Amino acid sequence: MTKLKIPWLKGLLYLLLCFYAIITLIPFLWALSASFKSLSEIASGTINLLPHQFTLENYKQIFLEEPLFPRWLLNSLIIAVSVTILNLICNSLAGYALARLQFHGKQFWFFLVLAVLAVPAQVTLIPTFLILKSLGWLNSYQGMIVPSMVNATFIFMMRQFFVNFPLELEEAAALDGLNRLETFWHIVLPLAKPALAAQTILIFMGSWNNFLLPVVILFDPEMFTLPLGLNTFKGQYISYWNIIMAASMIFTMPVLGLYIFFNRYFIQGVTFTGGKS
């Protein structure tokens, strides 16, 4: 009787998952379709996934008639890549120190990291603005990169990963004459690919989609990132949704490509960092 029930339950589960996937995909598919429509067709209010008049003018206008769009794309890439690389280095080192090293105040720093997790980013926005203003870093790359180069969430995540990392491997490396830093670089870090891949995707996506910090500290249109630049296509009386949809499709490509590249490590990294504390 049990054997008969399991296929039905699995079939029902897959049916529900497929239904949920379709509901989730419909807005994205509509946005993709709208990127090939004219503004008048979008404004008509008809809900159709296939354009009545297929056009590439929206994409041509972005790259050929909007001179700042390539600059916005470049700004977003520079900031997102820099933030991701710095986070991978800093968060991994901090997580490893909290997991393996013995130093005075270790528990205090660990609880401080946990306390930071409870503070919403909006609360720190005004202090961040005032600090960047005093440093003269408003409307600059360093103003966007430095405040985001460390993330308490991923320090905690990497700490959890290294707590569960086999201590025997590090002891064997020490017997071979490697110091702590060499052990971390040559032994620990190469085996931390799942956690690093998960961190890479989430940090890059967070920086790539970040709108709150740029809207506060960036004033020059040439320094805008893509989320801030896309907002300029919306006006008080008219919004160019055809341009916004086309730009949004281009906007999703880097994150989608990054996820496809790191997909085999992503789930493993997220599940492997939730072990013992």
Side-chain angles (χ1 to χ4, degrees), residues 78-97:
I78 291 174
I79 293 169
V81 171
S82 301
V83 167
T84 302
I85 292 174
L86 289 172
N87 267 274
L88 288 175
I89 296 171
C90 298
N91 297 340
S92 300
L93 287 170
Y96 183 75

Side-chain angles (χ1 to χ4, degrees), residues 78-210:
I78 291 174
I79 293 169
V81 171
S82 301
V83 167
T84 302
I85 292 174
L86 289 172
N87 267 274
L88 288 175
I89 296 171
C90 298
N91 297 340
S92 300
L93 287 170
Y96 183 75
L98 291 173
R100 285 289 189 258
L101 303 185
Q102 298 300 324
F103 54 91
H104 183 69
K106 176 181 176 179
Q107 288 299 318
F108 168 78
W109 290 111
F110 177 62
F111 286 124
L112 184 62
V113 170
L114 294 180
V116 171
L117 292 177
V119 179
Q122 293 84 350
V123 174
T124 62
L125 195 60
I126 293 177
T128 299
F129 173 82
L130 295 175
I131 292 171
L132 294 177
K133 182 180 178 181
S134 64
L135 293 172
W137 285 2
L138 294 178
N139 203 52
S140 65
Y141 287 129
Q142 61 267 32
M144 285 293 301
I145 294 170
V146 173
S148 305
M149 65 183 288
V150 178
N151 189 297
T153 300
F154 295 104
I155 291 177
F156 177 77
M157 189 187 87
M158 294 306 295
R159 186 256 182 192
Q160 294 301 102
F161 179 87
F162 292 131
V163 161
N164 292 281
F165 191 83
L167 186 60
E168 294 79 8
L169 293 177
E170 297 178 62
E171 293 173 346
L175 292 175
D176 287 339
L178 298 181
N179 59 36
R180 179 70 74 174
L181 186 59
E182 290 173 333
T183 300
F184 174 76
W185 183 257
H186 295 291
I187 305 298
V188 177
L189 212 55
L191 295 176
K193 287 180 181 179
L196 293 176
Q199 189 179 175
T200 298
I201 294 172
L202 295 173
I203 290 174
F204 185 89
M205 186 166 56
S207 179
W208 186 256
N209 294 330
N210 191 6

Side-chain angles (χ1 to χ4, degrees), residues 181-256:
L181 186 59
E182 290 173 333
T183 300
F184 174 76
W185 183 257
H186 295 291
I187 305 298
V188 177
L189 212 55
L191 295 176
K193 287 180 181 179
L196 293 176
Q199 189 179 175
T200 298
I201 294 172
L202 295 173
I203 290 174
F204 185 89
M205 186 166 56
S207 179
W208 186 256
N209 294 330
N210 191 6
F211 179 80
L212 191 60
L213 185 61
V215 80
V216 171
I217 73 168
L218 299 180
F219 314 117
D220 184 358
E222 290 191 357
M223 286 299 301
F224 283 1
T225 56
L226 272 177
L228 198 56
L230 293 184
N231 195 54
T232 62
F233 294 124
K234 294 176 62 179
Q236 183 177 0
Y237 300 106
I238 185 171
S239 296
Y240 297 96
W241 291 111
N242 54 331
I243 306 299
I244 293 174
M245 292 299 104
S248 297
M249 291 300 103
I250 298 172
F251 184 63
T252 61
M253 291 300 105
V255 176
L256 188 61

